[in-house]
Amino acid sequence: MSSCGNPATETDALMTRRPKFDKTKDCVKCKENTGNIVIRHAVYCKACFTPMISFKFRRGLEPFVNDEPQGSRRKGLKASGNLLVGLSGGVGSTVLLDLIHQSYFAARTDVTGGKDHPRNEAIWPKGRICYVEICSAFPGMRDRTEEVHLAASKYDSLEFLPLRLEDAFDESWWISVGGKPNSESLSVDFSDQDLLISNISNEASHDISSTTRLRSFLSTLPTQTAISRTVPTLVRLLLLYTARTSGSSHLVLGTSLTSLSISLISSISQGAGYVVREEAQEEWMGNGLAKPIRIVRPLRDIGMKECAAWAWWHDLTIVRKERIPGGTQDIALLTKEFIVGLEKDYPSTVSTIARTCGKLAPKQGSVRACILCERPVQDGIEDWKSKTSLRTLSGIKEAPMQSTYPHHLTPHLCYACHTTLTSRSSRGALHTGSSLVSLPVWVNSGLGKPTRHEVPPMLEVHSEKPLGSEVWQTRKLKEKDMKQAINGFLLDTD
């Protein structure tokens, strides 16, 4: 059709509008039933909605089940280990648990070829549900472990494993998941930009409970954004170490398309752009593992609205995820408000965010992992930060180096974790506790015996091994010494 003529005299001058399916009441798939839900301008009835969500769920999970990627010819699904489902009590994780149980663990009535046929073998030998309770971190928050356990009890073929956030600072839990006992307890000084590490005597460390250590760690973080980022990091590592000790090859999380878009934008704004691909799918190679554990988010193509509709139509019990208390200046909270509002007005835009971020990849790989979040660390980040970052000069003092461990935590962290621990708010510091706090147990163990967290020689804070004919050593300078070193390059102000 031509669109350049006169619409008053030429009936074909106007281009026909693109039809919007949300302006009809009929289901776009079966074209027979009256629609019950609108998803990105498409109307679906209840009968067509259920298989569509099941298809998207399987499409997001099954390509990652087998050790080797599947080609054009589809083969049988067989995982190399067990399955661990991360349950938070929210809508996404509850829907994921229901889909996992219905698809892979519930008794089947459509069995063909006999019960011993390879087609009917279980994909995972055993499945478990893991819930991490965070109420101990924030006074006044209620414990929801029993409520979550009751909601998960209907899936009797899956074992329920409760954890607590303070387990990240509990030595007994660390030993129970296969970690080696730490001979010394380490603490970090958050008032120091390089995060100076010191030892705590065993007698003093045993007198401090894991809950006290957790609260001290969180209260010392500089901003509310840092707290809201650290809690999910601790939860993720607790789930991963539990997956390792339970022999799981896959850890599945109920991150919906909406939650994934929020996480992607929020992490990039906090300096985690290098690992943006890990927000959607990643592989964790923990110590002692022959094969990596795959972290899969099967609901990454299913929005929050679809998850809520599934939970409503299938009568699922939603305990609801506790919101981390804090102010309104939290980056994660502001990002969530923006993305949720965007999904209401422009629903297709949210999926575009996830697809675009999924195409991003770093230019170079990484040879080491961050000791706190255990994600890849960008090479050369220490040198880049030393040239571009302006640090405070107040209160600088020489620190005696008495420990046999690495003297500073900074060289062992990724850019995002270092920013989380050290970046101060322009409105003033948030932390109220002591600046000297204990470290999570896996950080303590990693510093005690460096493995894949080991810092390359050029990034060591202090090295007594000569490189050629030179001895490299870095140390802090006072403001007076700094000015004297660059005095020849300063302009005369007289």
Side-chain angles (χ1 to χ4, degrees):
M1 290 183 186
S2 173
S3 59
C4 300
N6 184 6
T9 59
E10 300 178 36
T11 57
D12 295 336
L14 290 178
M15 296 183 67
T16 57
R17 281 180 174 268
R18 182 181 178 183
K20 290 188 176 181
F21 297 111
D22 58 346
K23 290 187 178 181
T24 180
K25 295 183 179 180
D26 297 330
C27 175
V28 69
K29 191 172 182 65
C30 67
K31 297 179 176 60
E32 295 178 357
N33 300 328
T34 303
N36 300 106
I37 185 173
V38 180
I39 303 174
R40 302 188 197 102
H41 306 293
V43 178
Y44 293 91
C45 64
K46 184 178 179 180
C48 295
F49 172 80
T50 299
M52 181 193 66
I53 296 298
S54 298
F55 170 75
K56 287 185 177 181
F57 158 72
R58 290 177 177 271
R59 185 180 61 186
L61 174 60
E62 292 184 352
F64 304 99
V65 171
N66 293 345
D67 289 339
E68 299 295 332
Q70 298 185 9
S72 57
R73 184 177 179 182
R74 183 183 177 92
K75 300 179 181 179
L77 298 176
K78 188 61 179 178
S80 59
N82 298 320
L83 176 68
L84 184 67
V85 182
L87 181 62
S88 65
V91 177
S93 62
T94 305
V95 170
L96 173 66
L97 178 58
D98 188 65
L99 286 166
I100 287 285
H101 182 264
Q102 288 187 16
S103 303
Y104 306 110
F105 291 95
R108 296 179 57 183
T109 58
D110 58 342
V111 175
T112 58
K115 64 178 182 179
D116 296 329
H117 194 280
R119 185 192 304 113
N120 301 318
E121 290 184 0
I123 298 177
W124 291 277
K126 192 171 184 180
R128 296 178 176 87
I129 306 168
C130 189
Y131 167 70
V132 181
E133 178 56 59
I134 66 171
C135 68
S136 299
F138 307 99
M141 184 178 292
R142 63 186 179 92
D143 192 330
R144 302 172 304 128
T145 304
E146 290 301 323
E147 297 178 48
V148 175
H149 190 191
L150 182 62
S153 61
K154 59 184 294 187
Y155 310 105
D156 51 0
S157 57
L158 301 173
E159 181 185 355
F160 183 75
L161 301 176
L163 294 177
R164 304 188 70 85
L165 192 61
E166 59 265 28
D167 289 338
F169 296 84
D170 189 353
E171 189 73 20
S172 60
W173 173 84
W174 176 245
I175 297 174
S176 69
V177 295
K180 294 184 178 180
N182 298 313
S183 57
E184 293 181 274
S185 295
L186 304 179
S187 63
V188 63
D189 186 2
F190 275 28
S191 64
D192 185 279
Q193 288 290 337
D194 290 327
L195 302 175
L196 182 67
I197 299 173
S198 59
N199 297 337
I200 303 177
S201 63
N202 289 332
E203 295 78 7
S205 62
H206 288 315
D207 296 337
I208 306 175
S209 65
S210 57
T211 302
T212 303
R213 295 184 183 188
L214 170 64
R215 291 185 177 180
S216 176
F217 184 83
L218 294 179
S219 64
T220 315
L221 294 176
T223 61
Q224 182 59 40
T225 298
I227 296 176
S228 64
R229 178 173 177 83
T230 301
V231 171
T233 299
L234 298 179
V235 170
R236 172 178 154 273
L237 267 298
L238 288 171
L239 292 174
L240 282 172
Y241 281 107
T242 303
R244 184 185 70 173
T245 193
S246 62
S248 300
S249 59
H250 294 80
L251 168 64
V252 292
L253 303 177
T255 306
S256 65
L257 173 64
T258 310
S259 300
L260 178 60
S261 300
I262 295 171
S263 178
L264 289 169
I265 299 299
S266 177
S267 61
I268 291 175
S269 64
Q270 297 177 63
Y274 184 75
V275 292
V276 68
R277 298 188 70 179
E278 278 73 11
E279 291 291 337
Q281 197 273 335
E282 62 181 308
E283 294 186 353
W284 180 73
M285 192 67 185
N287 294 328
L289 287 176
K291 297 180 180 179
I293 296 175
R294 290 181 176 175
I295 307 174
V296 188
R297 296 164 176 84
L299 305 183
R300 62 181 179 272
D301 293 329
I302 303 173
M304 179 177 60
K305 183 178 181 179
E306 294 99 298
C307 291
W310 180 281
W312 175 260
W313 283 332
H314 290 77
D315 197 23
L316 302 183
T317 302
I318 308 297
V319 181
R320 295 191 180 278
K321 186 167 59 175
E322 284 284 358
R323 179 177 173 179
I324 298 176
T328 59
Q329 299 303 315
D330 179 10
I331 290 179
L333 179 60
L334 295 174
T335 305
K336 181 179 180 179
E337 294 176 353
F338 170 72
I339 296 295
V340 171
L342 195 65
E343 187 176 34
K344 292 179 180 178
D345 299 330
Y346 307 97
S348 300
T349 310
V350 177
S351 61
T352 304
I353 295 174
R355 288 198 304 268
T356 303
C357 292
K359 299 175 183 178
L360 302 177
K363 292 182 178 179
Q364 298 179 347
S366 176
V367 296
R368 61 190 180 100
C370 173
I371 202 169
L372 178 59
C373 69
E374 301 203 4
R375 282 180 169 173
V377 177
Q378 184 177 1
D379 293 334
I381 194 65
E382 273 296 300
D383 183 53
W384 178 80
K385 284 193 297 186
S386 65
K387 295 178 180 179
T388 60
S389 301
L390 180 62
R391 301 300 182 188
T392 178
L393 301 177
S394 60
I396 292 181
K397 58 182 179 180
E398 295 290 339
M401 296 184 178
Q402 301 173 352
S403 173
T404 58
Y405 293 94
H407 305 113
H408 296 90
L409 186 63
T410 296
H412 302 268
L413 297 174
C414 63
Y415 178 77
C417 287
H418 183 263
T419 302
T420 298
L421 299 180
T422 59
S423 291
R424 301 292 190 266
S425 171
S426 60
R427 299 174 181 270
L430 174 71
H431 61 82
T432 57
S434 171
S435 60
L436 199 65
V437 296
S438 300
L439 296 168
V441 286
W442 55 84
V443 179
N444 204 2
S445 178
L447 289 173
K449 188 178 180 180
T451 52
R452 64 196 185 101
H453 306 293
E454 187 173 3
V455 181
M458 289 298 291
L459 296 180
E460 290 285 357
V461 174
H462 181 269
S463 175
E464 297 182 357
K465 294 182 180 181
L467 299 175
S469 59
E470 297 179 275
V471 176
W472 289 70
Q473 179 178 0
T474 61
R475 63 185 180 89
K476 283 190 172 182
L477 294 177
K478 296 182 178 179
E479 186 177 1
K480 180 180 178 181
D481 298 332
M482 290 182 182
K483 187 174 181 180
Q484 184 177 359
I486 63 173
N487 191 42
F489 301 94
L490 298 178
L491 297 177
D492 190 2
T493 56
D494 296 337

